[in-house]
Amino acid sequence: MSVCGTSVNSNIITYATIWGCGSPITDSRDNKTYSTVLIGTQCWMAQNLNVGTRINGSVNQTDNSNLEKYCYDDLESNCDIYGGLYQWNEAMQYVTTEGTKGICLTGWHLPMDAEWTTLTTFLGGVSVARGKMKEVGTTHWASPNTGATNSSGVTAFAGGDRDYNGYFTNLTGHAYFWSSMQYNASDAWYRGLYHGDETLDRSNYTKINGWSARCLKD
């Protein structure tokens, strides 16, 4: 029988652990643990996703049985710090349904464009949201890390990107995060953060670029 959230059987009482946003989550696929943060009514991962097998930046990620990631300069140690970089199709796991789970953990999904907007609106709008999302200091951001307060708890790192030519650029300078909304067959919407100002960029760009991923709780 169940008593106030406990399970009683043969005089053994087991207390169920109730997870709440703000507590860490563990990815059962590789046992990596991520911080989480509650912002308004949304529960966000407070670290960049780092799942998959590293492949070289010179090749495209493909629709196969393996989750694939890029690590800046082809160094796994950079994934350990900044998370993996993913082409949009890989991040979406080769579907185009907005809000899909994609490469996220079970119970989480790639944020929809409107969900990114909900976040930035809660933080006071695009003119100030970037500063509230960026980690303070110049450990993971180039100087000047303009306006950075991390008052949101998002703790964004400037993980750079793998560009459409297969080159790695902008480590500590830029952070790009995919949304799960495509603009057209070749481009998708993203949010961009930069070290030199605090305005959050919303635009679309080629799905071939390898960018960071944050997951949002269902």
Side-chain angles (χ1 to χ4, degrees), residues 121-154:
T121 299
F122 182 82
L123 295 180
V126 294
S127 64
V128 295
R130 181 184 297 166
K132 295 179 180 181
M133 295 168 66
K134 294 191 294 182
E135 182 198 39
V136 176
T138 54
T139 301
H140 303 110
W141 285 93
S143 180
N145 189 8
T146 303
T149 66
N150 195 33
S151 60
S152 68
V154 169

PDB file of all heavy atoms in Angstrom, residues 121-154:
ATOM      1  N   THR A 121      11.754  37.270 -22.642  1.00  0.00           N
ATOM      2  CA  THR A 121      10.750  38.219 -22.158  1.00  0.00           C
ATOM      3  C   THR A 121      10.752  38.272 -20.634  1.00  0.00           C
ATOM      4  O   THR A 121      10.698  39.353 -20.034  1.00  0.00           O
ATOM      5  CB  THR A 121       9.354  37.844 -22.678  1.00  0.00           C
ATOM      6  OG1 THR A 121       9.354  37.879 -24.106  1.00  0.00           O
ATOM      7  CG2 THR A 121       8.294  38.801 -22.147  1.00  0.00           C
ATOM      8  N   PHE A 122      10.824  37.111 -19.995  1.00  0.00           N
ATOM      9  CA  PHE A 122      10.859  37.050 -18.533  1.00  0.00           C
ATOM     10  C   PHE A 122      12.087  37.778 -17.986  1.00  0.00           C
ATOM     11  O   PHE A 122      12.028  38.396 -16.913  1.00  0.00           O
ATOM     12  CB  PHE A 122      10.857  35.597 -18.059  1.00  0.00           C
ATOM     13  CG  PHE A 122      10.847  35.443 -16.566  1.00  0.00           C
ATOM     14  CD1 PHE A 122       9.659  35.526 -15.848  1.00  0.00           C
ATOM     15  CD2 PHE A 122      12.027  35.230 -15.863  1.00  0.00           C
ATOM     16  CE1 PHE A 122       9.656  35.403 -14.460  1.00  0.00           C
ATOM     17  CE2 PHE A 122      12.029  35.106 -14.477  1.00  0.00           C
ATOM     18  CZ  PHE A 122      10.836  35.190 -13.780  1.00  0.00           C
ATOM     19  N   LEU A 123      13.187  37.720 -18.738  1.00  0.00           N
ATOM     20  CA  LEU A 123      14.428  38.354 -18.287  1.00  0.00           C
ATOM     21  C   LEU A 123      14.481  39.845 -18.608  1.00  0.00           C
ATOM     22  O   LEU A 123      15.478  40.495 -18.312  1.00  0.00           O
ATOM     23  CB  LEU A 123      15.633  37.649 -18.916  1.00  0.00           C
ATOM     24  CG  LEU A 123      15.835  36.193 -18.503  1.00  0.00           C
ATOM     25  CD1 LEU A 123      17.056  35.595 -19.197  1.00  0.00           C
ATOM     26  CD2 LEU A 123      15.975  36.050 -16.991  1.00  0.00           C
ATOM     27  N   GLY A 124      13.421  40.384 -19.211  1.00  0.00           N
ATOM     28  CA  GLY A 124      13.357  41.816 -19.438  1.00  0.00           C
ATOM     29  C   GLY A 124      13.514  42.243 -20.875  1.00  0.00           C
ATOM     30  O   GLY A 124      13.618  43.453 -21.159  1.00  0.00           O
ATOM     31  N   GLY A 125      13.562  41.277 -21.808  1.00  0.00           N
ATOM     32  CA  GLY A 125      13.660  41.608 -23.227  1.00  0.00           C
ATOM     33  C   GLY A 125      15.057  41.422 -23.774  1.00  0.00           C
ATOM     34  O   GLY A 125      16.041  41.279 -23.038  1.00  0.00           O
ATOM     35  N   VAL A 126      15.140  41.424 -25.108  1.00  0.00           N
ATOM     36  CA  VAL A 126      16.405  41.078 -25.770  1.00  0.00           C
ATOM     37  C   VAL A 126      17.522  42.077 -25.491  1.00  0.00           C
ATOM     38  O   VAL A 126      18.701  41.734 -25.588  1.00  0.00           O
ATOM     39  CB  VAL A 126      16.193  40.949 -27.294  1.00  0.00           C
ATOM     40  CG1 VAL A 126      15.288  39.775 -27.612  1.00  0.00           C
ATOM     41  CG2 VAL A 126      15.630  42.238 -27.892  1.00  0.00           C
ATOM     42  N   SER A 127      17.191  43.306 -25.124  1.00  0.00           N
ATOM     43  CA  SER A 127      18.230  44.318 -24.919  1.00  0.00           C
ATOM     44  C   SER A 127      19.068  44.064 -23.675  1.00  0.00           C
ATOM     45  O   SER A 127      20.192  44.579 -23.564  1.00  0.00           O
ATOM     46  CB  SER A 127      17.611  45.714 -24.850  1.00  0.00           C
ATOM     47  OG  SER A 127      16.749  45.832 -23.732  1.00  0.00           O
ATOM     48  N   VAL A 128      18.553  43.270 -22.749  1.00  0.00           N
ATOM     49  CA  VAL A 128      19.291  43.014 -21.508  1.00  0.00           C
ATOM     50  C   VAL A 128      19.426  41.528 -21.196  1.00  0.00           C
ATOM     51  O   VAL A 128      20.195  41.151 -20.307  1.00  0.00           O
ATOM     52  CB  VAL A 128      18.617  43.710 -20.301  1.00  0.00           C
ATOM     53  CG1 VAL A 128      18.668  45.223 -20.466  1.00  0.00           C
ATOM     54  CG2 VAL A 128      17.179  43.232 -20.119  1.00  0.00           C
ATOM     55  N   ALA A 129      18.700  40.671 -21.919  1.00  0.00           N
ATOM     56  CA  ALA A 129      18.663  39.245 -21.559  1.00  0.00           C
ATOM     57  C   ALA A 129      20.026  38.577 -21.648  1.00  0.00           C
ATOM     58  O   ALA A 129      20.362  37.718 -20.838  1.00  0.00           O
ATOM     59  CB  ALA A 129      17.664  38.504 -22.453  1.00  0.00           C
ATOM     60  N   ARG A 130      20.800  38.967 -22.651  1.00  0.00           N
ATOM     61  CA  ARG A 130      22.094  38.306 -22.850  1.00  0.00           C
ATOM     62  C   ARG A 130      22.980  38.429 -21.622  1.00  0.00           C
ATOM     63  O   ARG A 130      23.585  37.462 -21.177  1.00  0.00           O
ATOM     64  CB  ARG A 130      22.811  38.875 -24.073  1.00  0.00           C
ATOM     65  CG  ARG A 130      24.164  38.206 -24.328  1.00  0.00           C
ATOM     66  CD  ARG A 130      24.885  38.874 -25.489  1.00  0.00           C
ATOM     67  NE  ARG A 130      24.133  38.724 -26.708  1.00  0.00           N
ATOM     68  CZ  ARG A 130      24.374  39.425 -27.818  1.00  0.00           C
ATOM     69  NH1 ARG A 130      25.315  40.357 -27.822  1.00  0.00           N
ATOM     70  NH2 ARG A 130      23.668  39.233 -28.918  1.00  0.00           N
ATOM     71  N   GLY A 131      23.084  39.636 -21.071  1.00  0.00           N
ATOM     72  CA  GLY A 131      23.916  39.823 -19.893  1.00  0.00           C
ATOM     73  C   GLY A 131      23.450  38.982 -18.728  1.00  0.00           C
ATOM     74  O   GLY A 131      24.265  38.457 -17.958  1.00  0.00           O
ATOM     75  N   LYS A 132      22.141  38.827 -18.589  1.00  0.00           N
ATOM     76  CA  LYS A 132      21.585  38.031 -17.497  1.00  0.00           C
ATOM     77  C   LYS A 132      21.805  36.538 -17.692  1.00  0.00           C
ATOM     78  O   LYS A 132      21.631  35.759 -16.754  1.00  0.00           O
ATOM     79  CB  LYS A 132      20.095  38.327 -17.348  1.00  0.00           C
ATOM     80  CG  LYS A 132      19.805  39.757 -16.914  1.00  0.00           C
ATOM     81  CD  LYS A 132      18.313  40.018 -16.792  1.00  0.00           C
ATOM     82  CE  LYS A 132      18.030  41.452 -16.351  1.00  0.00           C
ATOM     83  NZ  LYS A 132      16.576  41.705 -16.217  1.00  0.00           N
ATOM     84  N   MET A 133      22.167  36.140 -18.903  1.00  0.00           N
ATOM     85  CA  MET A 133      22.378  34.726 -19.206  1.00  0.00           C
ATOM     86  C   MET A 133      23.852  34.330 -19.200  1.00  0.00           C
ATOM     87  O   MET A 133      24.175  33.153 -19.064  1.00  0.00           O
ATOM     88  CB  MET A 133      21.776  34.392 -20.575  1.00  0.00           C
ATOM     89  CG  MET A 133      20.264  34.529 -20.635  1.00  0.00           C
ATOM     90  SD  MET A 133      19.603  34.463 -22.321  1.00  0.00           S
ATOM     91  CE  MET A 133      19.987  32.775 -22.778  1.00  0.00           C
ATOM     92  N   LYS A 134      24.765  35.292 -19.354  1.00  0.00           N
ATOM     93  CA  LYS A 134      26.182  34.972 -19.503  1.00  0.00           C
ATOM     94  C   LYS A 134      26.872  34.772 -18.155  1.00  0.00           C
ATOM     95  O   LYS A 134      26.656  35.538 -17.215  1.00  0.00           O
ATOM     96  CB  LYS A 134      26.910  36.090 -20.262  1.00  0.00           C
ATOM     97  CG  LYS A 134      26.485  36.240 -21.705  1.00  0.00           C
ATOM     98  CD  LYS A 134      27.416  37.169 -22.479  1.00  0.00           C
ATOM     99  CE  LYS A 134      27.347  38.589 -21.987  1.00  0.00           C
ATOM    100  NZ  LYS A 134      28.222  39.488 -22.780  1.00  0.00           N
ATOM    101  N   GLU A 135      27.731  33.765 -18.095  1.00  0.00           N
ATOM    102  CA  GLU A 135      28.580  33.576 -16.926  1.00  0.00           C
ATOM    103  C   GLU A 135      29.432  34.822 -16.705  1.00  0.00           C
ATOM    104  O   GLU A 135      29.932  35.423 -17.658  1.00  0.00           O
ATOM    105  CB  GLU A 135      29.490  32.364 -17.125  1.00  0.00           C
ATOM    106  CG  GLU A 135      30.380  32.079 -15.921  1.00  0.00           C
ATOM    107  CD  GLU A 135      31.564  31.187 -16.265  1.00  0.00           C
ATOM    108  OE1 GLU A 135      32.149  31.355 -17.346  1.00  0.00           O
ATOM    109  OE2 GLU A 135      31.902  30.331 -15.436  1.00  0.00           O
ATOM    110  N   VAL A 136      29.591  35.208 -15.461  1.00  0.00           N
ATOM    111  CA  VAL A 136      30.388  36.381 -15.120  1.00  0.00           C
ATOM    112  C   VAL A 136      31.872  36.081 -15.287  1.00  0.00           C
ATOM    113  O   VAL A 136      32.333  34.964 -15.050  1.00  0.00           O
ATOM    114  CB  VAL A 136      30.091  36.834 -13.674  1.00  0.00           C
ATOM    115  CG1 VAL A 136      30.973  37.996 -13.262  1.00  0.00           C
ATOM    116  CG2 VAL A 136      28.616  37.216 -13.537  1.00  0.00           C
ATOM    117  N   GLY A 137      32.639  37.096 -15.693  1.00  0.00           N
ATOM    118  CA  GLY A 137      34.089  36.955 -15.750  1.00  0.00           C
ATOM    119  C   GLY A 137      34.582  36.577 -17.136  1.00  0.00           C
ATOM    120  O   GLY A 137      33.830  36.519 -18.107  1.00  0.00           O
ATOM    121  N   THR A 138      35.884  36.285 -17.218  1.00  0.00           N
ATOM    122  CA  THR A 138      36.517  35.998 -18.504  1.00  0.00           C
ATOM    123  C   THR A 138      37.187  34.626 -18.535  1.00  0.00           C
ATOM    124  O   THR A 138      38.111  34.393 -19.310  1.00  0.00           O
ATOM    125  CB  THR A 138      37.554  37.092 -18.838  1.00  0.00           C
ATOM    126  OG1 THR A 138      38.482  37.222 -17.758  1.00  0.00           O
ATOM    127  CG2 THR A 138      36.876  38.434 -19.086  1.00  0.00           C
ATOM    128  N   THR A 139      36.695  33.714 -17.702  1.00  0.00           N
ATOM    129  CA  THR A 139      37.211  32.339 -17.766  1.00  0.00           C
ATOM    130  C   THR A 139      36.719  31.642 -19.026  1.00  0.00           C
ATOM    131  O   THR A 139      37.492  30.964 -19.716  1.00  0.00           O
ATOM    132  CB  THR A 139      36.772  31.540 -16.528  1.00  0.00           C
ATOM    133  OG1 THR A 139      37.263  32.181 -15.358  1.00  0.00           O
ATOM    134  CG2 THR A 139      37.317  30.115 -16.589  1.00  0.00           C
ATOM    135  N   HIS A 140      35.433  31.827 -19.327  1.00  0.00           N
ATOM    136  CA  HIS A 140      34.845  31.178 -20.506  1.00  0.00           C
ATOM    137  C   HIS A 140      34.276  32.185 -21.496  1.00  0.00           C
ATOM    138  O   HIS A 140      33.552  31.816 -22.413  1.00  0.00           O
ATOM    139  CB  HIS A 140      33.757  30.198 -20.063  1.00  0.00           C
ATOM    140  CG  HIS A 140      34.247  29.162 -19.106  1.00  0.00           C
ATOM    141  ND1 HIS A 140      33.874  29.138 -17.780  1.00  0.00           N
ATOM    142  CD2 HIS A 140      35.102  28.133 -19.278  1.00  0.00           C
ATOM    143  CE1 HIS A 140      34.472  28.129 -17.172  1.00  0.00           C
ATOM    144  NE2 HIS A 140      35.214  27.516 -18.048  1.00  0.00           N
ATOM    145  N   TRP A 141      34.586  33.470 -21.271  1.00  0.00           N
ATOM    146  CA  TRP A 141      34.200  34.541 -22.185  1.00  0.00           C
ATOM    147  C   TRP A 141      35.398  35.448 -22.415  1.00  0.00           C
ATOM    148  O   TRP A 141      36.150  35.739 -21.479  1.00  0.00           O
ATOM    149  CB  TRP A 141      33.056  35.377 -21.612  1.00  0.00           C
ATOM    150  CG  TRP A 141      31.722  34.706 -21.672  1.00  0.00           C
ATOM    151  CD1 TRP A 141      31.137  33.956 -20.700  1.00  0.00           C
ATOM    152  CD2 TRP A 141      30.815  34.706 -22.780  1.00  0.00           C
ATOM    153  NE1 TRP A 141      29.911  33.491 -21.128  1.00  0.00           N
ATOM    154  CE2 TRP A 141      29.685  33.940 -22.395  1.00  0.00           C
ATOM    155  CE3 TRP A 141      30.827  35.291 -24.052  1.00  0.00           C
ATOM    156  CZ2 TRP A 141      28.595  33.735 -23.253  1.00  0.00           C
ATOM    157  CZ3 TRP A 141      29.743  35.088 -24.896  1.00  0.00           C
ATOM    158  CH2 TRP A 141      28.649  34.319 -24.492  1.00  0.00           C
ATOM    159  N   ALA A 142      35.561  35.919 -23.652  1.00  0.00           N
ATOM    160  CA  ALA A 142      36.608  36.890 -23.937  1.00  0.00           C
ATOM    161  C   ALA A 142      36.247  38.235 -23.315  1.00  0.00           C
ATOM    162  O   ALA A 142      35.085  38.531 -23.051  1.00  0.00           O
ATOM    163  CB  ALA A 142      36.779  37.040 -25.453  1.00  0.00           C
ATOM    164  N   SER A 143      37.253  39.043 -23.084  1.00  0.00           N
ATOM    165  CA  SER A 143      37.051  40.395 -22.569  1.00  0.00           C
ATOM    166  C   SER A 143      36.756  41.349 -23.735  1.00  0.00           C
ATOM    167  O   SER A 143      37.352  41.215 -24.810  1.00  0.00           O
ATOM    168  CB  SER A 143      38.310  40.846 -21.835  1.00  0.00           C
ATOM    169  OG  SER A 143      38.163  42.145 -21.323  1.00  0.00           O
ATOM    170  N   PRO A 144      35.809  42.293 -23.591  1.00  0.00           N
ATOM    171  CA  PRO A 144      35.022  42.527 -22.377  1.00  0.00           C
ATOM    172  C   PRO A 144      33.756  41.668 -22.385  1.00  0.00           C
ATOM    173  O   PRO A 144      33.083  41.572 -23.408  1.00  0.00           O
ATOM    174  CB  PRO A 144      34.641  43.999 -22.511  1.00  0.00           C
ATOM    175  CG  PRO A 144      34.517  44.211 -24.006  1.00  0.00           C
ATOM    176  CD  PRO A 144      35.559  43.309 -24.626  1.00  0.00           C
ATOM    177  N   ASN A 145      33.453  41.069 -21.286  1.00  0.00           N
ATOM    178  CA  ASN A 145      32.228  40.276 -21.178  1.00  0.00           C
ATOM    179  C   ASN A 145      31.103  41.227 -20.765  1.00  0.00           C
ATOM    180  O   ASN A 145      30.631  41.218 -19.637  1.00  0.00           O
ATOM    181  CB  ASN A 145      32.422  39.153 -20.167  1.00  0.00           C
ATOM    182  CG  ASN A 145      31.277  38.160 -20.147  1.00  0.00           C
ATOM    183  OD1 ASN A 145      30.387  38.209 -20.993  1.00  0.00           O
ATOM    184  ND2 ASN A 145      31.297  37.249 -19.185  1.00  0.00           N
ATOM    185  N   THR A 146      30.681  42.035 -21.726  1.00  0.00           N
ATOM    186  CA  THR A 146      29.823  43.184 -21.465  1.00  0.00           C
ATOM    187  C   THR A 146      28.490  42.789 -20.836  1.00  0.00           C
ATOM    188  O   THR A 146      27.775  41.926 -21.348  1.00  0.00           O
ATOM    189  CB  THR A 146      29.562  43.951 -22.769  1.00  0.00           C
ATOM    190  OG1 THR A 146      30.808  44.333 -23.339  1.00  0.00           O
ATOM    191  CG2 THR A 146      28.700  45.189 -22.516  1.00  0.00           C
ATOM    192  N   GLY A 147      28.191  43.433 -19.721  1.00  0.00           N
ATOM    193  CA  GLY A 147      26.888  43.301 -19.089  1.00  0.00           C
ATOM    194  C   GLY A 147      26.636  41.996 -18.369  1.00  0.00           C
ATOM    195  O   GLY A 147      25.527  41.760 -17.876  1.00  0.00           O
ATOM    196  N   ALA A 148      27.625  41.115 -18.295  1.00  0.00           N
ATOM    197  CA  ALA A 148      27.394  39.781 -17.732  1.00  0.00           C
ATOM    198  C   ALA A 148      27.120  39.839 -16.236  1.00  0.00           C
ATOM    199  O   ALA A 148      27.927  40.362 -15.467  1.00  0.00           O
ATOM    200  CB  ALA A 148      28.593  38.882 -17.997  1.00  0.00           C
ATOM    201  N   THR A 149      25.961  39.290 -15.840  1.00  0.00           N
ATOM    202  CA  THR A 149      25.608  39.175 -14.427  1.00  0.00           C
ATOM    203  C   THR A 149      25.206  37.749 -14.059  1.00  0.00           C
ATOM    204  O   THR A 149      25.247  37.389 -12.892  1.00  0.00           O
ATOM    205  CB  THR A 149      24.441  40.100 -14.068  1.00  0.00           C
ATOM    206  OG1 THR A 149      23.260  39.665 -14.755  1.00  0.00           O
ATOM    207  CG2 THR A 149      24.733  41.548 -14.453  1.00  0.00           C
ATOM    208  N   ASN A 150      24.774  36.979 -15.053  1.00  0.00           N
ATOM    209  CA  ASN A 150      24.228  35.630 -14.837  1.00  0.00           C
ATOM    210  C   ASN A 150      23.126  35.629 -13.774  1.00  0.00           C
ATOM    211  O   ASN A 150      22.949  34.652 -13.048  1.00  0.00           O
ATOM    212  CB  ASN A 150      25.328  34.628 -14.453  1.00  0.00           C
ATOM    213  CG  ASN A 150      24.856  33.181 -14.595  1.00  0.00           C
ATOM    214  OD1 ASN A 150      24.055  32.872 -15.469  1.00  0.00           O
ATOM    215  ND2 ASN A 150      25.341  32.310 -13.728  1.00  0.00           N
ATOM    216  N   SER A 151      22.378  36.693 -13.691  1.00  0.00           N
ATOM    217  CA  SER A 151      21.320  36.756 -12.686  1.00  0.00           C
ATOM    218  C   SER A 151      20.211  35.741 -12.947  1.00  0.00           C
ATOM    219  O   SER A 151      19.445  35.412 -12.046  1.00  0.00           O
ATOM    220  CB  SER A 151      20.729  38.170 -12.639  1.00  0.00           C
ATOM    221  OG  SER A 151      20.176  38.532 -13.893  1.00  0.00           O
ATOM    222  N   SER A 152      20.137  35.224 -14.162  1.00  0.00           N
ATOM    223  CA  SER A 152      19.137  34.206 -14.489  1.00  0.00           C
ATOM    224  C   SER A 152      19.525  32.820 -14.014  1.00  0.00           C
ATOM    225  O   SER A 152      18.677  31.953 -13.832  1.00  0.00           O
ATOM    226  CB  SER A 152      18.926  34.152 -16.005  1.00  0.00           C
ATOM    227  OG  SER A 152      20.088  33.641 -16.649  1.00  0.00           O
ATOM    228  N   GLY A 153      20.834  32.580 -13.848  1.00  0.00           N
ATOM    229  CA  GLY A 153      21.321  31.248 -13.516  1.00  0.00           C
ATOM    230  C   GLY A 153      21.533  30.361 -14.726  1.00  0.00           C
ATOM    231  O   GLY A 153      21.885  29.184 -14.584  1.00  0.00           O
ATOM    232  N   VAL A 154      21.361  30.893 -15.931  1.00  0.00           N
ATOM    233  CA  VAL A 154      21.576  30.100 -17.153  1.00  0.00           C
ATOM    234  C   VAL A 154      23.041  29.690 -17.304  1.00  0.00           C
ATOM    235  O   VAL A 154      23.358  28.612 -17.799  1.00  0.00           O
ATOM    236  CB  VAL A 154      21.105  30.888 -18.392  1.00  0.00           C
ATOM    237  CG1 VAL A 154      21.559  30.221 -19.689  1.00  0.00           C
ATOM    238  CG2 VAL A 154      19.594  31.012 -18.385  1.00  0.00           C
TER     239      VAL A 154
END
